[in-house]
Amino acid sequence: MTKIALVDDNRNYLVSLSMALEAEGLEVDSYSDGQAALRAFDARMPDLVVLDLKMPRMDGMEVLDRLRRRSSLPVIILSSRDSEIDEALGLRMGADDYLRKSCSQRVLIARIRALLRRQRAWAAATDDIEGASQNEGQGENPVMIRGPLVMDPARHVVTWKGETVWLTVAEFRLVRALAEHPGAVWLRHQLLDVIGDEDLELSERAIDAHIKRIRRKMHKADPDFAAIETIYRAGYRYNM
């Protein structure tokens, strides 16, 4: 059964949302603070995390940062803060979606199912690639190499100059799309199609936020990373 982790210090909200998700056939674990959640994730990672920002002891941004150091599982930030700055920061740090608590439970459940569906589709696609590569005389190597970049979709592993770079599902898709066609310019709306979902209202600004986050992660592996080039008023390209 699909496991959803809820991390929020509002116990009434946890109870209400847990009941709604369980009614949808989802398994739910609830945590009232980030430290307790991370300890539980050491034993078993959930399939998706719904994370509040404002919590005692450890706020949601720190929880998200620690999660992204070891996992690319889908994360939805659900916050009472009505701030574009918080939304942009959350997306830059690795959240896959950002919702305000004023949204209905129906909308949140739709977003959860959309992210889970995208993750299953991606896993199925990489399994097909891996399976095809194992057939004698058929298929091709699922590992893609573009200069210092190595991407293994079967294991969802990315390395740059031998250093592992942990990317979310959306980030992985963007990098792979760009790197598959070096020198080709991808318009922002084309990249939206790479990561988009009919149930998610994504804007072209989300692409910019994803690219900034990808570059920040790559810079940790290589301070001179410049393989993803911005094309003014157009989009991006892989230039390597």
Side-chain angles (χ1 to χ4, degrees):
M1 182 181 294
T2 301
K3 180 184 284 292
I4 308 298
L6 304 179
V7 189
D8 194 312
D9 65 329
N10 186 326
R11 294 185 182 277
N12 291 333
Y13 194 81
L14 282 179
V15 171
S16 173
L17 187 53
S18 294
M19 292 175 62
L21 293 174
E22 288 170 352
E24 293 288 321
L26 299 168
E27 183 180 353
V28 180
D29 284 339
S30 299
Y31 307 95
S32 59
D33 70 80
Q35 289 182 346
L38 290 173
R39 285 196 298 269
F41 297 165
D42 286 337
R44 179 190 172 186
M45 278 289 187
D47 297 294
L48 182 145
V49 176
V50 179
L51 178 65
D52 185 29
L53 287 184
K54 190 176 181 180
M55 292 185 294
R57 302 177 65 186
M58 181 185 294
D59 68 14
M61 290 298 188
E62 185 174 353
V63 175
L64 177 60
D65 181 59
R66 295 193 182 194
L67 271 176
R68 282 294 171 254
R69 294 177 190 177
R70 52 179 168 162
S71 174
S72 61
L73 86 165
V75 176
I76 297 176
I77 290 179
L78 188 63
S79 177
S80 58
R81 296 178 182 174
D82 188 11
S83 167
E84 288 189 357
I85 294 175
D86 286 328
E87 181 176 357
L89 179 59
L91 291 172
R92 287 194 197 104
M93 292 185 65
D96 296 276
D97 203 353
Y98 187 106
L99 291 172
R100 291 166 178 82
K101 284 188 174 179
S102 57
C103 76
S104 68
Q105 290 184 346
R106 179 180 298 179
V107 169
L108 174 59
I109 291 170
R111 298 291 183 101
I112 289 173
R113 291 205 175 280
L115 279 174
L116 291 172
R117 185 164 60 251
R118 285 164 51 189
Q119 187 181 48
R120 285 193 294 267
W122 180 258
T126 54
D127 285 346
D128 288 344
I129 294 172
E130 184 179 28
S133 69
Q134 293 174 350
N135 293 331
E136 278 191 320
Q138 298 180 11
E140 59 184 24
N141 190 342
V143 176
M144 181 177 69
I145 301 175
R146 295 289 186 273
L149 176 71
V150 179
M151 303 189 75
D152 184 349
R155 297 188 298 136
H156 194 86
V157 173
V158 179
T159 62
W160 178 266
K161 293 186 176 180
E163 295 290 330
T164 300
V165 181
W166 298 107
L167 300 180
T168 67
V169 172
E171 292 164 1
F172 192 100
R173 290 179 177 179
L174 286 175
V175 173
R176 188 179 184 192
L178 291 167
E180 278 183 335
H181 305 283
V185 176
W186 284 74
L187 303 180
R188 288 176 175 83
H189 72 83
Q190 293 175 318
L191 293 173
L192 275 177
D193 291 337
V194 171
I195 66 169
D197 189 286
E198 61 183 4
D199 292 333
L200 294 177
E201 297 179 1
L202 295 175
S203 68
E204 293 186 5
R205 186 176 61 181
I207 295 298
D208 295 334
H210 280 303
I211 294 295
K212 287 179 182 178
R213 187 165 65 249
I214 290 167
R215 285 171 171 162
R216 180 168 59 85
K217 292 180 178 181
M218 290 295 191
H219 282 146
K220 290 182 179 179
D222 175 14
D224 297 323
F225 175 82
I228 297 178
E229 182 181 358
T230 301
I231 307 302
Y232 182 61
R233 291 187 176 180
Y236 299 94
R237 70 181 171 193
Y238 185 84
N239 189 14
M240 178 59 62

